[in-house]
């Protein structure tokens, strides 16, 4: 990706690109350590201009019929599809993720998401009208909220932009999105696709910059009616505190520390393949990644050996090579953090069975890592590493396994591996997480909700359930009582 890819600047609002008048950030190529591009960031005045563009667009956009909004989204899907190759190449360049991930996961997932919300836009549901009081009809209107301010992370920049933008605009809102300052490219290209598809100016706006400057200006803006945030738990809580100052709505998709529970009767080889894929997907920089395996003691050695064997065979390297399994981590600082957490665990007595080291080449490459003998209360088991690191601990009893699975502050996703239906149903009920996979780990589906319990956040992305975040529910009561003085008014004053 060259800086010339966005020759008119890294801000997109009111239907046009603008050069940011804030500071310039140099983005380093994660795969080489060389400078990749110069990103111009927005000034607070430009955030204000973007929010005002969204506010101006809100009236006409919210008044379109569902069929008209759906038509716009179908056209957008075609434009995104036409840019599939360009989007995949840009996603890999800016994140360092393997080109197979970008091509086979991020881009098709995004296109599917656009088409899903094109359909969902015509299916905003509420209660059927009913007579709940006598002599009256009550009905529900589901109405858009207004301007949504969204803030997204760097791990799946294109998909996160889509997850934020689509339910918001399908429901009739307009949006100002701040992608991560490290990975703005594919969000800007997504906006370009929307422009080409003929979406009205101001419906989608992108402002690029750092969290404290551009992010906070967005959350604090008086015309922003809701903040939708995906990122770390610490920043999410800060955003909630900022939004509390104006009492505006927040939707928070935060960190995760997904358990992966392997019961005694599990298909061991399937579980091992599942664990390696779910731990190393996107370099482990995935909020739902499998991070803590709990394996029945009778299968522990077998599981550890098979996972180690599969991890050792993984090809880590040039993300643009289709033969590469795992590309680079997002930044040198993040690589250092992942490695220092692994080394600290080792100092505390944990054992590295596979990986636990950088690749000896320029760029931010880390080997898939398998760790045993870590303490349940240690940082490597409790805290988000956000790298390709799996800890494995044994258990003896089902109760103990479920207790360990729930024993972190997070609750985003989890999996249980068993052929026993009772055990599967018990695990799915007792594990405190927004998603529990049985004999699977990772698939996320446009039609199904995604969102956390506990410190993993509140509210849902994707699916019809996301409309609960992005709409206001209004009760409308129409009286057909012909009496001048209604019975209930007697409580307040007698008829005269
Ligand atoms: P982060 O919290 O550091 O940053 C996320 C976004 O917030 C970025 O755009 C950043 O610029 C912005 N930001 C930072 N400080 C801010 C401030 N003071 N005010 C306003 N905005 C601010 O997270 P990250 O490192 O970009 O992403 C990784 C995190 O995201 C992980 O914790 C991961 O689990 C989480 N995540 C969660 C989900 C989910 O669906 N629950 C999905 C993807 C990533």
């Amino acid at each position: 990706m060259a800086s010339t890819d966005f020759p008119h600047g890294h801000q997109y609002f009111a239907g046009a690109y603008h050069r940011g008048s804030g500071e310039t950030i140099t983005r380093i190529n994660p795969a080489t350590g060389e400078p990749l591009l110069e990103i111009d960031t927005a000034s607070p005045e430009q955030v204000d201009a973007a929010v005002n563009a969204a506010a101006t667009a809100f009236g006409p956009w919210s008044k379109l019929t569902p069929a008209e909004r759906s038509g716009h989204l179908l056209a957008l899907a075609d434009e995104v599809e036409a840019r599939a190759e360009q989007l995949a190449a840009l996603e890999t360049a800016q994140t360092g993720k393997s080109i197979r991930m970008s091509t086979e996961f991020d881009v098709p997932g995004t296109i599917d998401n656009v088409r899903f919300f094109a359909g969902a836009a015509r299916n905003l549901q509420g209660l059927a009208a009913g007579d709940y009081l006598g002599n009256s009809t009550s009905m529900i209107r589901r109405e858009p909220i207004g301007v949504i301010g969204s803030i997204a992370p760097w791990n799946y920049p294109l998909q996160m932009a889509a997850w934020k933008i689509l339910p918001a605009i399908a429901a009739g809102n307009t949006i100002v999105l701040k992608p991560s300052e490290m990975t703005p490219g594919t969000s800007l290209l997504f906006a370009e696709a929307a422009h080409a598809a003929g979406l009205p100016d101001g419906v989608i706006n992108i402002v690029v910059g750092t969290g404290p400057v551009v992010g906070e200006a967005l959350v604090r803006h008086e015309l922003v009616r809701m903040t939708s945030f995906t990122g770390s738990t610490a920043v999410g809580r800060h955003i909630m505190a900022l939004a509390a100052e104006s009492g505006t709505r927040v939707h928070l998709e935060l960190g995760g520390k997904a358990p992966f529970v392997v019961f005694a009767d599990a298909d061991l080889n399937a579980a091992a393949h599942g664990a390696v894929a779910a731990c190393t997907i996107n370099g482990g920089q995935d909020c739902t990644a499998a991070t803590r395996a709990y394996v029945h003691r009778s299968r522990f050695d077998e599981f550890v050996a098979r996972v180690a064997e599969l991890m050792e065979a993984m090809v880590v390297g040039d993300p643009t090579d289709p033969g590469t399994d795992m590309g680079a981590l997002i930044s040198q600082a993040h690589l250092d953090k992942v490695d220092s957490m692994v080394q600290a665990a080792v100092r505390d007595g944990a054992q590295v069975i596979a990986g636990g080291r950088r690749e000896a080449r320029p760029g931010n490459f880390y080997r898939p890592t398998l760790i045993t003998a870590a303490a349940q209360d240690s940082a490597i088991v409790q805290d988000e590493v956000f790298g390709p690191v799996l800890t494995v601990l044994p258990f003896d009893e089902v109760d103990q396994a479920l207790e360990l699975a729930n024993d972190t502050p997070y609750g985003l996703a989890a999996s249980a591996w068993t052929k026993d239906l009772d055990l599967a149903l018990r695990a799915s009920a007792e594990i405190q997480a927004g998603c529990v996979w049985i004999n699977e780990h990772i698939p996320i589906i446009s039609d199904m909700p995604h969102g956390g319990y506990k410190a993993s956040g509140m509210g849902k992305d994707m699916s019809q359930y996301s409309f609960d975040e992005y709409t206001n529910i209004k009760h409308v009561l129409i009286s057909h009582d012909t009496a001048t003085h209604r019975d209930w008014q007697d409580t307040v004053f007698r008829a005269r």
Side-chain angles (χ1 to χ4, degrees):
M1 182 170 57
S3 54
T4 50
D5 284 340
F6 295 97
H8 306 298
H10 286 100
Q11 316 302 322
Y12 177 84
F13 52 86
Y17 283 104
H18 308 267
R19 181 155 291 281
S21 42
E23 61 168 333
T24 299
I25 297 174
T26 303
R27 175 75 180 121
I28 301 296
N29 186 333
T32 64
E34 302 292 326
L36 179 68
L37 84 165
E38 300 283 308
I39 298 168
D40 51 89
T41 65
S43 62
E45 293 72 27
Q46 288 177 311
V47 175
D48 181 54
V51 173
N52 274 291
T56 304
F58 175 67
W61 179 252
S62 62
K63 288 185 180 63
L64 292 185
T65 63
E68 287 168 332
R69 278 200 293 274
S70 173
H72 279 297
L73 291 180
L74 288 171
L76 170 60
D78 292 344
E79 292 294 337
V80 173
E81 198 160 32
R83 291 163 176 75
E85 222 173 291
Q86 198 185 354
L87 283 164
L90 188 52
E91 197 72 323
T92 284
Q94 66 179 359
T95 61
K97 69 174 72 187
S98 78
I99 191 68
R100 292 214 310 271
M101 273 296 292
S102 298
T103 308
E104 298 171 19
F105 192 78
D106 296 86
V107 173
T110 299
I111 295 167
D112 182 66
N113 214 231
V114 187
R115 295 219 162 96
F116 172 81
F117 278 105
R122 303 186 72 168
N123 198 20
L124 283 169
Q125 290 171 345
L127 276 178
D131 185 346
Y132 299 100
L133 198 62
N135 283 333
S136 70
T137 301
S138 280
M139 60 183 200
I140 294 293
R141 289 175 60 87
R142 209 180 245 281
E143 299 180 339
I145 295 169
V147 177
I148 311 296
S150 274
I151 298 178
W154 45 256
N155 60 339
Y156 292 106
L158 175 63
Q159 294 205 74
M160 292 303 106
W163 289 17
K164 299 280 138 204
I165 290 171
L166 294 167
I169 68 169
N173 305 284
T174 55
I175 190 164
V176 180
L177 171 79
K178 189 199 90 62
S180 167
E181 60 276 24
M182 290 197 274
T183 53
T186 45
S187 301
L188 288 163
L189 208 47
F190 188 86
E192 183 186 300
H195 191 85
L199 264 78
D201 294 350
V203 172
I204 297 174
N205 307 276
I206 312 284
V207 288
V208 176
T210 63
V213 178
V214 174
E216 294 203 11
L218 188 56
V219 180
R220 287 180 189 277
H221 200 290
E222 60 181 6
L223 293 178
V224 169
R225 297 275 179 261
M226 166 180 166
T227 300
S228 166
F229 171 81
T230 298
S232 62
T233 296
V235 175
R237 287 178 177 170
H238 177 64
I239 285 188
M240 197 173 184
L242 287 182
E245 289 173 15
S246 56
T248 47
R249 196 190 283 216
V250 288
H251 167 205
L252 302 175
E253 296 286 354
L254 309 178
K257 190 74 189 175
F260 186 102
V261 183
V262 183
F263 289 107
D265 69 322
D267 178 336
L268 218 283
N269 204 18
H273 279 84
V276 172
C279 164
T280 61
I281 186 166
N282 212 42
Q285 302 163 124
D286 181 310
C287 50
T288 61
T291 58
R292 304 177 283 139
Y294 299 103
V295 182
H296 191 266
R297 199 175 296 278
S298 63
R299 314 296 299 278
F300 185 82
D301 291 346
E302 196 186 343
F303 180 82
V304 168
R306 188 68 179 126
V307 169
E309 183 185 13
L310 293 171
M311 279 185 167
E312 298 286 12
M314 282 185 73
V315 179
V316 180
D318 179 2
T320 62
D321 182 344
T324 293
D325 294 322
M326 207 176 85
L329 303 188
I330 191 75
S331 66
Q332 171 80 48
H334 189 59
L335 173 71
D336 290 345
K337 180 204 150 192
V338 170
D339 190 46
S340 71
M341 287 185 77
V342 170
Q343 301 318 324
V346 171
R347 280 197 300 280
D348 289 345
Q351 278 184 309
V352 171
I353 307 297
R357 61 182 168 79
R358 301 161 198 246
E359 284 283 354
R361 56 179 290 163
N364 315 319
F365 296 96
Y366 204 70
R367 287 297 310 171
T369 297
L370 182 62
I371 290 180
T372 59
Q376 171 66 19
D377 62 358
S378 63
I380 199 82
V381 176
Q382 291 291 321
D383 299 342
E384 222 182 7
V385 179
F386 226 52
V389 178
L390 182 70
T391 59
V392 193
L393 293 174
F395 69 85
D396 296 297
E397 303 295 337
V398 170
D399 284 352
Q400 183 198 7
L402 297 177
E403 228 169 83
L404 288 166
N406 285 330
D407 178 32
T408 74
Y410 297 106
L412 187 58
S415 68
W417 296 72
T418 177
K419 294 177 201 140
D420 180 330
L421 182 59
D422 288 337
L423 204 46
L425 289 174
R426 194 175 154 201
S428 64
E430 291 187 25
I431 295 178
Q432 298 152 4
C435 172
V436 177
W437 292 284
I438 302 293
N439 298 321
E440 185 54 284
H441 195 120
I442 286 298
I444 288 183
I445 309 163
S446 297
D447 318 53
M448 288 288 123
H450 167 83
Y453 285 21
K454 297 166 34 184
S456 292
M458 58 187 74
K460 298 294 174 192
D461 279 331
M462 320 259 269
S463 82
Q464 291 284 343
Y465 290 94
S466 62
F467 290 140
D468 291 345
E469 316 305 326
Y470 291 104
T471 53
N472 280 320
I473 302 287
K474 181 183 280 177
H475 169 212
V476 177
L477 183 146
I478 302 160
S479 173
H480 2 109
D481 197 332
T482 52
T484 307
H485 189 86
R486 313 286 156 82
D487 288 349
W488 72 266
Q489 294 171 347
D490 276 341
T491 309
V492 185
F493 73 105
R494 301 291 181 207
R496 293 189 176 84

